[in-house]
Amino acid sequence: LDGTPVETVDELYQVAEPARYLFETTISSFLRRMAYEDDEELRKASAACHFACASLKDRGACARKASRSHVSKVFDVVRGTLICDSEASLAALCDAMDDDEFVKVVRTKNRFARPGATGVRDLLASVSVNVAATLMPSSNANDIVEQELPTLIDEKGELDHDALERHVTSKVAKEPTVAHRCELRITLKQFEACDRRGLKSYAAFADFFAGCPSKRTSMLRASRHELILGVPAIEATKEALLKWGFNVHGRSAEQLGNFAELFWFLGDREPCMEIRERAALAAAMKAGSVSRDHATHLTNLGLELAKHKRHTEAAAALEDACSTWEDVGSTGINAGKAMKVRARRTEELLHAGDVAAALANAREVLKEQRNPATLLALARCLRLSQEYKEAEPFIREALDITKEKRTKATGLYELASILVGLGDPERAEECVARYEESIVLFEKLGDDRLGLALQGLANVHRRIGDSDRARDYQAR
C-alpha cells in the first residue's frame, strides 16, 4: 500500500466508495478495449464474459474479518466477479490483464489448482486502484475549484468546460493518492451454480471456517468444511448430532476439535468440554502413549459425562481412567489417583442403576482405602442390595471416624434408612432420632437430600401409628 496502512474500518470505508467506482470503470474499460484487439480469442472472450461489481462489503462482516487479522488485510470491501464461458477465454483474459498498463494486479490466488474450504474454484486477483484525495468524501475539491473560477471563464463570461476538465484533471494528478485493493474473482460459467452454494455455506459459517487466527491454514478450513458437508439428514437435535460426530469422527483428534468449535460457534457451549477431552484422548491414542495426561483426560471426560447425567458412559470412562492411572504408576504425584477415580465410579454405577457392579467396585475400593467416604459408599451399595445387616457396621464405623458435617449428615440418613430396612420395632426410636439429626444438618448445609430425609421420617411415623406427625413431616 502507498503510505501508512489504514487502522480503522472507518478509514477503510472512507476510500471504498470512490474506489468501487474506479474499480468498476477500470475492469469495464479493460473489457471494452479487448473487444477491439487483433487476437480473435480475446475478442470472443470479452464478448462472452460477464462482469458484475457487487455492493460494498457489509461493515459488520468487515469488522469480524478484521478482528481475525488486521483491517489493512481486508481486501474485499470492494469486489466484483468476472465470469468466463471457457477455460481458453479465462486464460486469454488473465494474460491480457497481466500485460495491460491500466490494470494493476498486485496479488493472485489460484483456487482452480487448490480450491478453498467451500470447494469454490476461481482465480482471486487483488487489483489496486489509486484514489485521489479530491475524490474522497472529506476532501475540499469544490472549494479548490471555486477559488480558481476566475481563470476558467471564457471571453463571453461563461464557464469554459474544457478548461474546467483540464484544471480538475491536473489537480487530481498532483493530489496525493491512496492505494485501495479491490478483489476481482474470475471464474467459469459451468462452476456458477455449485460455487453459489459454496459461497452461501461460507457466508453462514465464515467465522467457523476461519478458526483460531494462529491456526488459519487452508487445511484447517478444508477439514471444517468437510465436517459440515458430512452431516447426514439426521434428526435435528443436539443428541443426534453428537452421536453422529462421535461415531464418525471419534478417532480423529482434528475433526473432534472442529466439532467442539462448531458447537461453540453455534452458541451451545455445554458439550464443548466433553468433545475436547475426547479429542485429546484421540490424539493420545494415535500417538500410542500411556501418560499422566492421558489418564487425566479420561478422568475429566468421565466427570464431564457425569455432569450431564450420562452415568453409564461416565462409569465406563472412569473405569478406563482407573486402568490408565494404574499403568502410569502409583508413586509420587500419581499416588492414590486410581483409587480416587474408582471410588467416584461407584457413585456413577449407582446413578446408572447397576447396583451389583457398584457393590463389587465399592468392595475393591475399601480394600485399598478405608475412610468415611469409602465406608459410606459400601454401606449405601449394601443397603440398596437389601443387605441391611452387613451394611450397619460399615455405616457406624464411618460415623465414628468422620469429622466432616456433610459426611456425618449423609451417614445419619443412611443409618436411619438401614434401620428402616431391618424392620425391628424396638429400634424405631433410634431410627426417628437418626432421621431428625440428619434433617437438622441437611437444613444447615442447604443439602437437597433434606426432602428425602423428611419423607423417610414421615414413613417411619406412619408405620408406628403416629399419623399426625407423619402428615406434618409429609407437608414439610
Side-chain angles (χ1 to χ4, degrees):
L1 298 174
D2 295 344
T4 306
V6 294
E7 292 293 334
T8 67
V9 172
D10 288 339
E11 288 179 359
L12 188 63
Y13 275 82
Q14 186 179 8
V15 189
E17 191 59 54
R20 180 182 181 278
Y21 168 76
L22 290 172
F23 171 65
E24 185 174 17
T25 302
T26 299
I27 303 302
S28 299
S29 298
F30 163 75
L31 293 173
R32 282 195 296 271
R33 289 196 301 276
M34 293 306 104
Y36 296 99
E37 286 288 326
D38 295 334
D39 189 323
E40 186 179 355
E41 187 62 48
L42 272 177
R43 292 200 304 273
K44 288 181 180 178
S46 62
C49 72
H50 172 70
F51 171 67
C53 190
S55 57
L56 295 183
K57 188 181 184 77
D58 177 71
R59 275 179 177 260
C62 179
R64 289 193 296 273
K65 188 170 184 178
S67 68
R68 296 195 290 265
S69 55
H70 189 270
V71 67
S72 65
K73 301 292 180 65
V74 180
F75 300 143
D76 61 344
V77 173
V78 177
R79 62 271 175 92
T81 302
L82 179 61
I83 302 174
C84 302
D85 69 332
S86 68
E87 293 91 334
S89 297
L90 186 146
L93 285 173
C94 286
D95 287 341
M97 197 176 292
D98 281 340
D99 298 333
D100 194 276
E101 62 178 312
F102 299 106
V103 181
K104 186 180 179 182
V105 178
V106 294
R107 186 185 71 158
T108 58
K109 283 185 182 179
N110 184 359
R111 298 199 302 188
F112 288 110
R114 296 184 63 186
T118 57
V120 171
R121 292 153 293 182
D122 55 25
L123 179 76
L124 283 184
S126 293
V127 178
S128 180
V129 295
N130 292 325
V131 181
T134 49
L135 295 178
M136 294 170 61
S138 60
S139 71
N140 59 348
N142 292 331
D143 296 338
I144 294 172
V145 173
E146 287 175 6
Q147 292 169 12
E148 300 289 341
L149 277 178
T151 65
L152 304 176
I153 304 299
D154 61 14
E155 296 175 353
K156 298 179 180 180
E158 297 177 355
L159 182 64
D160 188 337
H161 289 282
D162 291 336
L164 177 60
E165 184 178 351
R166 288 194 299 272
H167 166 73
V168 173
T169 302
S170 65
K171 282 289 183 183
V172 170
K174 294 175 184 178
E175 283 286 336
T177 60
V178 176
H180 187 93
R181 287 191 180 183
C182 311
E183 183 177 273
L184 176 63
R185 180 172 169 266
I186 308 172
T187 187
L188 291 169
K189 189 174 183 179
Q190 56 263 44
F191 293 161
E192 193 174 1
C194 61
D195 284 358
R196 191 181 298 114
R197 290 193 295 271
L199 291 170
K200 184 177 180 181
S201 171
Y202 181 80
F205 293 97
D207 291 338
F208 172 66
F209 291 145
C212 175
S214 63
K215 299 178 181 178
R216 287 184 64 204
T217 64
S218 295
M219 188 177 296
L220 175 63
R221 293 197 293 272
S223 68
R224 290 193 172 185
H225 195 258
E226 180 187 340
L227 177 71
I228 293 290
L229 293 180
V231 179
I234 57 176
E235 185 183 355
T237 64
K238 178 170 68 176
E239 291 72 20
L241 183 58
L242 283 169
K243 184 178 180 180
W244 169 82
F246 294 149
N247 286 341
V248 176
H249 299 294
R251 294 181 180 275
S252 170
E254 180 187 20
Q255 286 295 42
L256 284 172
N258 289 339
F259 202 38
E261 292 300 324
L262 175 61
F263 273 96
W264 188 276
F265 168 77
L266 294 173
D268 187 353
R269 302 181 180 183
E270 185 184 15
C272 292
M273 184 62 73
E274 176 194 345
I275 302 171
R276 285 172 184 154
E277 293 299 339
R278 288 184 184 272
L281 283 172
M285 289 172 66
K286 185 177 181 180
S289 62
V290 177
S291 64
R292 183 172 177 271
D293 287 342
H294 189 179
T296 302
H297 287 309
L298 277 168
T299 304
N300 291 342
L301 175 59
L303 296 177
E304 193 64 28
L305 290 166
K307 189 188 296 184
H308 300 306
K309 302 189 184 302
R310 293 161 62 185
H311 302 296
T312 302
E313 296 172 72
L318 292 173
E319 176 62 22
D320 290 340
C322 290
S323 302
T324 309
W325 280 117
E326 288 166 359
D327 291 340
V328 169
S330 57
T331 58
I333 197 170
N334 301 329
K337 290 288 179 68
M339 202 47 58
K340 288 180 180 178
V341 173
R342 193 174 293 282
R344 177 56 190 265
R345 181 172 176 263
T346 302
E347 185 178 339
E348 294 310 312
L349 287 167
L350 285 175
H351 283 305
D354 194 346
V355 178
L359 179 57
N361 193 74
R363 290 187 190 278
E364 290 296 321
V365 172
L366 193 63
K367 289 177 184 178
E368 299 292 333
Q369 288 186 340
R370 200 175 187 91
N371 57 45
T374 58
L375 288 164
L376 271 174
L378 178 57
R380 187 182 176 199
C381 291
L382 288 167
R383 174 177 69 80
L384 293 172
S385 301
Q386 299 184 356
E387 300 290 343
Y388 303 115
K389 286 185 178 180
E390 188 181 356
E392 186 178 359
F394 291 115
I395 200 69
R396 289 191 183 279
E397 182 181 348
L399 285 168
D400 288 341
I401 62 177
T402 188
K403 294 180 180 179
E404 205 269 322
K405 288 184 178 180
R406 195 174 297 277
T407 304
K408 190 173 185 66
T410 304
L412 289 166
Y413 169 75
E414 288 292 339
L415 178 56
S417 300
I418 289 167
L419 292 172
V420 170
L422 288 170
D424 186 351
E426 295 181 1
R427 305 181 71 178
E429 189 175 337
E430 182 188 2
C431 180
V432 169
R434 299 293 86 81
Y435 267 132
E436 288 176 345
E437 290 172 14
S438 71
I439 287 169
V440 171
L441 287 173
F442 281 146
E443 282 182 320
K444 287 181 179 178
L445 296 168
D447 197 296
D448 56 8
R449 287 172 293 180
L450 173 62
L452 293 174
L454 289 166
Q455 180 65 62
L457 185 54
N459 292 339
V460 172
H461 280 297
R462 192 173 290 110
R463 282 189 180 187
I464 61 178
D466 193 343
S467 57
D468 291 338
R469 285 194 175 183
R471 279 196 297 271
D472 290 342
Y473 284 114
Q474 185 71 53
R476 285 183 62 187

